[in-house]
Amino acid sequence: MGVFISLVIAIDLYAFKGIRLITENIRPLYRQISIGSFWVFNVAVYAALVWLIFNIDKFRLPEYTNIIFSINALILMSFVTKLVFNIFHGADDITYLISKVFGSKTTFPGEGISRAKFLTLVGAGLATIPLGAFAYGFTRGRFNFRVIRKELAFDNLPSAFDGLKVIHISDIHIGSFPKGHGSVEKAVELINSKKPDVIFFTGDLVNNYAAETDGWIEVFKNLKAKHGMYSILGNHDYGDYVQWNSQTEKVANLDNVKNANRAIGFDLLLNENRVIEKDGQKLGIVGVENWGLPPFPQHGNINAAKANLSDVPFKILLSHDPSHWDAEVRNHKDIDLTLAGHTHGMQFGIEIPGIKWSPVQYKYPRWAGLYEEGKQKLYVNRGFGYHAYAGRIGMDPEITEIVLRSKEQNA
């Protein structure tokens, strides 16, 4: 911890050196305001960091979640912004050293500004990008629900289910939201406005504790779907990240998470399946418990989950972790569509035409959106809520609208 704090102070002192450089020729009052604002912000970050250090044991307690996740966002914003600034400020110092060694000029002809100051000004300008991005992600990005619509065609989808509208949500992490925040109710209204035939939720209702759902069940009970709502558990739902007083207490918490799913109106699938029938045709819904690559638990049992579905021609699998698809699901050729979540798109990334990137892709090759291998499809939802830090940057919370199409029906 001492090394970390020393690093933070070193970064700030170096950034302060840059601030002094770029404000040296402005009016004294404005310079004082600039330098004062810099240190006021940093003192606030230090105070938050000290509070976090002394309250680290409360990290997973629901009553502290919003505070700690917000502090994490503040620290990240401070660190990344100053890192960008210092990279350019450091470049000007390197340039200065080179000029001393080789005797090169350090000014731009006719500009009257040193190369050192120019690079520092560039760094200051570029540093406003992460500063603004983190500020937006904290104030609006984490609540800016978007609907992503996909039409997926299958050779073997029974004609009766052509046009079936599926709403897929994942990773609600309801304990991360400020209590009673209106964005959740608006998201529920947005889902209902799509008039879904079926709603699938692929796990992580809570961060750790069933008590996080207090006050929220009535909001989610307003969800409506013509052919029902189905859910599974995610890794956070099992309470594995908390030190419990006893195994009995942990089991009771898990039971309460399961009951919360059911109270909302979800049919919770625990390595089991359901069949929807329409016009004498069948569609299978298969739900496994969480299955992830180590260190994540592997409670899921796909063979048990799809038992007695041999006469059902089309199957949708709900599996929280997309790692499951490559590890096991692709060997089960009778699983046509798999819906997953878990990655959150790391709550940070770039998705513009021609570019789709997030750091999470280096751990999860299937991290967001649609993936296809042969006739099998996987869709990874970017998450409804957020975890660890209070923000989403370039990776808005997602409500997925999937319309199923029968290739035969539309030939």
Side-chain angles (χ1 to χ4, degrees):
M1 184 60 70
V3 174
F4 174 74
I5 293 175
S6 298
L7 178 63
V8 170
I9 293 174
I11 289 172
D12 283 343
L13 290 176
Y14 196 71
F16 177 58
K17 175 177 171 289
I19 295 294
R20 290 183 62 188
L21 176 63
I22 62 177
T23 60
E24 62 182 358
N25 294 323
I26 67 174
R27 292 182 180 181
L29 177 60
Y30 294 157
R31 189 178 195 222
Q32 291 174 5
I33 291 173
S34 299
I35 291 174
S37 298
F38 175 82
W39 283 114
V40 166
F41 175 76
N42 280 292
V43 167
V45 174
Y46 291 149
L49 181 58
V50 169
W51 184 92
L52 189 62
I53 291 170
F54 282 99
N55 292 275
I56 196 67
D57 59 318
K58 301 180 176 69
F59 180 75
R60 301 193 186 280
L61 297 179
E63 57 268 34
Y64 288 92
T65 298
N66 291 315
I67 297 173
I68 291 173
F69 287 4
S70 296
I71 289 175
N72 289 346
L74 176 66
I75 293 172
L76 273 171
M77 178 175 70
S78 174
F79 178 81
V80 175
T81 299
K82 282 177 281 194
L83 181 63
V84 171
F85 178 65
N86 283 347
I87 286 173
F88 284 85
H89 182 42
D92 77 44
D93 279 343
I94 292 172
T95 303
Y96 175 77
L97 291 174
I98 293 173
S99 72
K100 287 298 183 182
V101 173
F102 296 102
S104 60
K105 289 184 67 175
T106 60
T107 59
F108 294 104
E111 294 285 340
I113 182 174
S114 69
R115 182 168 295 167
K117 190 171 183 178
F118 174 78
L119 289 171
T120 304
L121 284 168
V122 170
L126 292 176
T128 62
I129 296 174
L131 180 66
F134 274 97
Y136 174 82
F138 176 76
T139 57
R140 294 194 60 185
R142 57 180 167 152
F143 308 125
N144 187 34
F145 289 91
R146 62 171 174 168
V147 177
I148 296 180
R149 189 177 189 276
K150 296 285 183 181
E151 286 203 9
L152 303 181
F154 298 88
D155 293 330
N156 58 325
L157 179 71
S159 59
F161 294 100
D162 180 63
L164 187 81
K165 184 182 291 186
V166 170
I167 290 292
H168 173 209
I169 57 176
S170 191
D171 301 87
I172 291 175
H173 289 284
I174 197 58
S176 299
F177 286 89
K179 279 293 185 182
H181 199 276
S183 63
V184 178
E185 185 173 358
K186 289 181 180 178
V188 169
E189 292 172 355
L190 181 57
I191 291 170
N192 286 338
S193 73
K194 299 301 176 180
K195 298 184 176 2
D197 293 306
V198 63
I199 295 175
F200 294 131
F201 168 53
T202 49
D204 278 0
L205 177 61
V206 299
N207 295 324
N208 300 286
Y209 295 93
E212 297 168 34
T213 63
D214 292 348
W216 290 111
I217 290 177
E218 290 302 316
V219 175
F220 284 106
K221 281 176 71 173
N222 291 317
L223 288 170
K224 294 178 175 60
K226 184 176 180 180
H227 295 294
M229 309 194 302
Y230 303 86
S231 70
I232 56 172
L233 298 176
N235 56 298
H236 280 269
D237 294 321
Y238 294 88
D240 289 338
Y241 309 114
V242 174
Q243 290 288 344
W244 300 95
N245 293 321
S246 67
Q247 184 64 20
T248 300
E249 185 181 22
K250 181 181 180 181
V251 170
N253 183 74
L254 177 57
D255 286 341
N256 288 333
V257 171
K258 294 175 181 177
N259 290 335
N261 272 267
R262 294 166 181 139
I264 289 170
F266 289 124
D267 184 353
L268 179 63
L269 304 181
L270 303 170
N271 293 326
E272 52 192 331
N273 62 73
R274 302 289 184 267
V275 175
I276 299 176
E277 293 196 37
K278 184 179 180 183
D279 298 336
Q281 297 181 323
K282 296 179 179 180
L283 181 147
I285 302 168
V286 181
V288 294
E289 294 197 54
N290 188 69
W291 193 104
L293 296 175
F296 295 107
Q298 298 179 348
H299 302 297
N301 186 329
I302 192 170
N303 289 314
K306 66 174 190 174
N308 303 316
L309 289 182
S310 58
D311 64 332
V312 177
F314 188 88
K315 302 177 185 68
I316 299 174
L317 172 69
L318 311 182
S319 182
H320 178 70
D321 190 325
S323 303
H324 192 204
W325 197 62
D326 282 312
E328 286 195 348
V329 177
R330 285 174 54 194
N331 294 325
H332 294 259
K333 301 302 183 184
D334 57 338
I335 298 295
D336 301 285
L337 172 63
T338 301
L339 302 179
H342 183 60
T343 72
H344 301 200
M346 205 174 170
Q347 296 163 217
F348 174 82
I350 300 171
E351 290 193 275
I352 57 177
I355 301 176
K356 179 182 176 183
W357 177 87
S358 169
V360 78
Q361 72 190 53
Y362 303 114
K363 179 174 176 58
Y364 293 97
R366 323 278 188 178
W367 61 276
L370 182 66
Y371 303 89
E372 300 182 72
E373 293 288 343
K375 294 185 177 182
Q376 293 178 290
K377 294 179 175 62
L378 165 71
Y379 191 90
V380 184
N381 181 282
R382 294 162 181 83
F384 183 101
Y386 52 93
H387 188 261
Y389 73 96
R392 278 182 172 269
I393 302 170
M395 201 63 59
D396 292 340
E398 177 180 354
I399 296 165
T400 315
E401 178 185 6
I402 298 174
V403 178
L404 301 183
R405 293 295 182 189
S406 169
K407 288 184 179 179
E408 178 182 347
Q409 185 74 5
N410 292 279

